[in-house]
Amino acid sequence: MVTLGSIAVKKPDLFKKWLQQYGSEKIILGADVKDNHISINGWKEESQQELMPFLTDYTNEGVRKVLCTDISRDGMLQGPSIELYKRMMKEFPEMHLIASGGVSCLQDIIDLDEARIPAVVFGKALYEGRITLKDLNRFM
């Protein structure tokens, strides 16, 4: 699988061509979001694309997997944007959402699971020892 984000904003026809060619099981739509707008180019640019219409366009094209990073929370260890992710899942119940940004402890992962968010990315909490592999084994 590959995650594609900026290209979906900058070259939507090419993204759609790849989606048809390789299939939705091989492509994860990257939706890096700040203030409800998709950011591109390594978070250096905010596009004019709003999150929900962006997701609507691409789920209508067959996208089923989305990696959404709340840029304002990434690396901050202040908890994930659970309400944002719940809203996304309510609007797109068939989406396999991978939540990213802000996870600070095992409880954040539990909260995401209880909110029925299918997957989570976390890094800094693991690197800083706030979440351990032992914790994860108990959770699973």
Side-chain angles (χ1 to χ4, degrees), residues 6-58:
S6 295
I7 196 107
V9 173
K10 293 163 68 173
K11 296 186 178 185
D13 291 337
L14 180 58
F15 179 87
K16 290 173 188 176
K17 178 182 172 190
W18 288 345
L19 187 61
Q20 286 182 337
Q21 184 174 352
Y22 299 107
S24 62
E25 65 281 348
K26 298 285 187 189
I27 295 177
I28 301 169
L29 177 63
D32 299 333
V33 66
K34 183 178 180 186
D35 299 325
N36 199 41
H37 285 88
I38 301 296
S39 290
I40 58 173
N41 296 332
W43 303 349
K44 294 176 190 167
E45 270 180 68
E46 188 175 291
S47 76
Q48 297 301 309
Q49 294 262 358
E50 291 184 7
L51 176 62
M52 292 306 201
F54 178 75
L55 294 175
T56 297
D57 288 346
Y58 283 115

Side-chain angles (χ1 to χ4, degrees), residues 14 16-17 27 36 39 45 72 77 86 97 101 114 118-119 130 135 138:
L14 180 58
K16 290 173 188 176
K17 178 182 172 190
I27 295 177
N36 199 41
S39 290
E45 270 180 68
S72 68
L77 299 171
K86 281 180 170 178
L97 174 61
E114 288 174 354
R130 293 171 177 239
D135 294 332
R138 277 185 287 177

Side-chain angles (χ1 to χ4, degrees), residues 59-114:
T59 56
N60 287 341
E61 292 291 329
V63 165
R64 294 294 171 256
K65 297 176 182 81
V66 176
L67 169 61
C68 183
T69 302
D70 182 344
I71 296 168
S72 68
R73 292 182 181 254
D74 195 57
M76 305 304 282
L77 299 171
Q78 296 176 344
S81 293
I82 292 176
E83 292 307 314
L84 168 66
Y85 302 134
K86 281 180 170 178
R87 196 169 79 239
M88 292 171 68
M89 290 304 299
K90 182 178 180 185
E91 187 75 25
F92 308 100
E94 300 301 316
M95 178 181 357
H96 181 84
L97 174 61
I98 307 161
S100 178
V103 173
S104 64
C105 61
L106 184 61
Q107 187 60 50
D108 289 336
I109 296 172
I110 292 168
D111 292 345
L112 286 163
D113 185 56
E114 288 174 354

